[in-house]
């Protein structure tokens, strides 16, 4: 059944150029809302929780127990996911419509650069978004992440 296939668990291994594991992204099976975890050496360092909403796509991003960003996508045909801090300032943007570096160079005004750990959690969100929305709608592949620097 296709519906269950989209909710299946998976683990993605993020490696350096030599094949050494930097961290892993793990998403367990889910029914209504999903969570995706970032682990370094088997220890959870961050998580993305999807909040349930009938049509909007809302994600909360955490490092440990501290929330550092939220995504509140209006849904429907909007394929841009903007990460904002608790003050509403833009931190990064994930977009399905990326066509390549020559086409998409643009300035994104961000409040501050993301830390390495925040980037790892943001990549976990991008993997989750790709699995949930982009890949099943025509095989778009990993979406573009613009962090401003």
């Amino acid at each position: 059944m296709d519906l269950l296939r989209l909710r299946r668990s998976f683990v993605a291994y993020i490696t350096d150029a030599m094949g050494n594991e930097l961290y892993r992204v793990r998403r367990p099976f889910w029914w209504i809302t999903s969570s995706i975890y970032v682990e370094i050496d088997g220890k959870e360092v961050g998580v993305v929780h999807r909040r349930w909403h009938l049509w909007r796509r809302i994600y909360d991003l955490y490092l440990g127990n501290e929330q550092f960003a939220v995504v509140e996508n209006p849904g429907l045909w909007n394929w841009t996911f903007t990460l904002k801090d608790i003050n509403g300032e833009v931190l990064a943007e994930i977009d399905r419509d990326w066509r390549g570096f020559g086409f998409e160079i643009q300035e994104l005004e961000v409040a501050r650069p993301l830390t390495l750990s925040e980037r790892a959690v943001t990549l976990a969100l991008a993997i989750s978004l790709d699995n949930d929305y982009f890949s099943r709608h025509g095989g778009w592949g990993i979406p573009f992440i613009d962090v401003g620097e």
Side-chain angles (χ1 to χ4, degrees), residues 6 27 30 34 50-51 53 55-59 73 75-76 78-79 81 96 125-141:
L6 295 173
R27 185 166 86 170
W30 59 283
S34 66
R50 181 178 179 189
R51 278 191 259 159
H53 192 279
W55 66 86
R56 294 176 68 203
R57 302 171 188 133
I58 304 171
Y59 296 86
N73 178 285
L76 300 173
N78 187 318
W79 298 110
F81 296 81
R96 179 192 81 171
L125 172 63
I127 292 169
S128 185
L129 292 172
D130 180 61
N131 188 68
D132 292 347
Y133 306 113
F134 305 148
S135 291
R136 71 179 180 183
H137 294 293
W140 294 95

Side-chain angles (χ1 to χ4, degrees), residues 2 4 11 39 44 52 56 74 82-83 86 98 100 111 141:
D2 194 39
L4 294 179
V11 177
E39 300 171 349
E44 180 185 313
W52 187 89
R56 294 176 68 203
T82 304
L83 283 74
I86 66 166
W98 185 63

